[in-house]
Amino acid sequence: MQLNPSSPIGVFDSGVGGLTVVRALMERLPFENIVYFGDTARVPYGVKSVETISHYTTQIAEFLLAKEVKMLIVACNTMAAVASQVVKDLSPVPVLDVIDAGALGALATSGKKQVGVIGTPTTINSNAYARAIHHYEPGVRIYSQACPLFVPLVEEGWLDHPVTRLTAQEYLKPVLAQDIDTLVLGCTHYPLLKPLLQEVAGPAVRLVDSAEAMADRAAALLGEMHLANPQRGSPTYHYYVTDVPLRFQTIGERFLGRTLANVHVVKW
Ligand code: DGL
């Protein structure tokens, strides 16, 4: 299949959280057009079954492929954890997922090879980060912790709130007790908690932001495949959501750090 370098990159997530990946992509690849899909009607995915997530993921990937994207990016850690292969099997265009990017980021960061991973319950139960890290380096010790309260706290905007701080101290206690030097933020929402998590984890622990790791991977792959957009005009950004966009718009602007235009509602 001949791919067109001017085509957009397709990025998708269970809702608004994947905009942290879009933000990192916009900064890293300022000339790329992007089509984003957020399944705002069915979020959260982090507590749903593998079957349900796989079914939703297939629908979204097919939607974006119909938009003639040149690359698919699974921004949602939960989808990447349990349905990344489903996307790779059906896609004629290259597929990148945040877990692989986060795993490589962790390996590049950790000197002690003692890594903590935090994410939604589905992501942590799937063991996907451990598998991805061990695929590259089997000897790494991995300590995981599900942090289900972080997603609603971030969506509430409580990024530096005493409740969030206490919650983080509680969640991170067992992981920090393991002498880790690296902590992977294995969920789209967690990059927004970076300053707070860094304070709780202390200076000896380095945080791996899988959104940034993903932007680096995407840039490298576009280069290798000669698929970088040669056009130097302002890129276009389109956002598709499955529920009324009001909340997406408000929270999305916080995630993206800029105003959000071109939001379209998809009726399935
Ligand atoms: N996007 C999800 C993730 O990265 C978090 C929100 C959800 O549970 O759907 O795991």
Side-chain angles (χ1 to χ4, degrees), residues 13-14 43-46 76-78 120 123 151 187-189:
D13 178 51
S14 55
V43 69
Y45 280 22
C76 176
N77 288 258
T78 304
T120 65
T123 299
V151 167
C187 173
T188 47
H189 287 58

Side-chain angles (χ1 to χ4, degrees), residues 59-70:
Q59 268 184 316
I60 299 168
E62 283 172 348
F63 178 92
L64 287 173
L65 287 169
K67 299 271 171 220
E68 296 183 349
V69 295
K70 63 180 173 187

Side-chain angles (χ1 to χ4, degrees), residues 38-183:
D39 195 1
T40 48
R42 301 188 291 202
V43 69
Y45 280 22
V47 288
K48 290 189 169 68
S49 70
V50 174
E51 290 71 24
T52 302
I53 296 167
S54 300
H55 173 60
Y56 293 170
T57 305
T58 304
Q59 268 184 316
I60 299 168
E62 283 172 348
F63 178 92
L64 287 173
L65 287 169
K67 299 271 171 220
E68 296 183 349
V69 295
K70 63 180 173 187
M71 175 188 278
L72 278 175
I73 294 186
V74 189
C76 176
N77 288 258
T78 304
M79 285 198 236
V82 300
S84 161
Q85 197 53 48
V86 174
V87 183
K88 288 175 183 154
D89 287 347
L90 69 83
S91 175
V93 306
V95 178
L96 287 178
D97 77 62
V98 268
I99 293 198
D100 201 47
L104 289 168
L107 288 170
T109 307
S110 179
K112 286 187 190 166
K113 304 300 170 198
Q114 300 258 102
V115 174
V117 178
I118 53 176
T120 65
T122 303
T123 299
I124 297 304
N125 291 339
S126 74
N127 227 14
Y129 268 103
R131 267 185 282 121
I133 291 172
H134 287 155
H135 169 74
Y136 296 108
E137 232 182 289
V140 180
R141 304 296 296 266
I142 296 159
Y143 305 95
S144 318
Q145 175 66 46
C147 305
L149 292 174
F150 280 169
V151 167
L153 286 168
V154 169
E155 298 220 346
E156 196 58 38
W158 289 9
L159 306 183
D160 186 25
H161 189 286
V163 169
T164 314
R165 190 171 298 271
L166 272 176
T167 309
Q169 283 162 351
E170 198 62 30
Y171 279 148
L172 295 189
K173 210 184 288 169
V175 186
L176 294 175
Q178 299 297 337
D179 196 28
I180 56 165
D181 67 352
T182 302
L183 181 67

Side-chain angles (χ1 to χ4, degrees), residues 9 20-32 34 211-223 228 232 237 258:
I9 299 175
T20 51
V21 173
V22 172
R23 181 181 187 157
L25 287 170
M26 286 170 168
E27 282 164 13
R28 187 76 179 68
L29 296 163
F31 301 112
E32 294 299 333
I34 297 174
E212 278 171 12
M214 167 55 84
D216 290 341
R217 288 275 291 130
L221 190 62
L222 288 180
R232 288 291 172 264
Y237 303 128
R258 62 167 86 185

Side-chain angles (χ1 to χ4, degrees), residues 243-264:
D243 197 6
V244 281
L246 200 66
R247 196 172 146 79
F248 178 81
Q249 192 110 26
T250 321
I251 304 173
E253 292 185 352
R254 185 156 64 223
F255 274 70
L256 208 53
R258 62 167 86 185
T259 44
L260 253 167
N262 298 331
V263 182
H264 318 275

